[in-house]
Amino acid sequence: MDKSKPLIVIVDDDESVCRAIRRLVRSVAMDGETFSSGQDFLDLLDAMPSFQPDCLILDVQMPDMNGLAVQELLAKSGKTVPVIFITAHDEVGVREKALAAGAVAFIRKPFNDELLIKTMREALKHNPTAQP
């Protein structure tokens, strides 16, 4: 990992979404790492304390553990990382809950690349260790 580049972690159970966002992230000189489940991401964080993303893009709706649960577990463990939620299902109350829990943004799929890039750059400003 090149620590001079911000590390953006994408957690989405849709592999095509992960691939597309990782390509986008790399096209703007950032590193992208993908996970197909919140549990896989949390397991790696536990196993490798040195793995510290600068920003997290989290899908809301995933099997087993949804994005809100991942955000909650991160907060309980004391890990602070700016979170951008993405969702195809903009359910009432979910946006408010995510933002109240500290999410930087909540974006509805499909979204355009410029919006996500702008939001990632904004999120990196919330992370004192990241270099946008």
Side-chain angles (χ1 to χ4, degrees), residues 23-81:
R23 262 197 309 272
L24 177 66
V25 162
R26 290 179 175 164
S27 76
V28 292
M30 298 182 200
D31 274 329
E33 202 57 55
T34 62
F35 295 87
S36 58
S37 80
Q39 194 59 59
D40 288 351
F41 168 63
L42 294 170
D43 288 348
L44 182 72
L45 277 184
D46 284 342
M48 279 182 57
S50 62
F51 184 78
Q52 295 185 336
D54 297 304
C55 178
L56 182 57
I57 298 174
L58 258 181
D59 186 18
V60 173
Q61 293 294 334
M62 292 184 285
D64 301 325
M65 181 186 297
N66 72 21
L68 292 171
V70 174
Q71 180 189 34
E72 192 178 314
L73 288 167
L74 280 176
K76 281 183 181 165
S77 70
K79 294 192 177 8
T80 55
V81 58

Side-chain angles (χ1 to χ4, degrees), residues 119-130:
T119 306
M120 283 188 300
R121 290 195 169 127
E122 193 57 42
L124 291 171
K125 291 178 188 172
H126 291 266
N127 188 338
T129 61

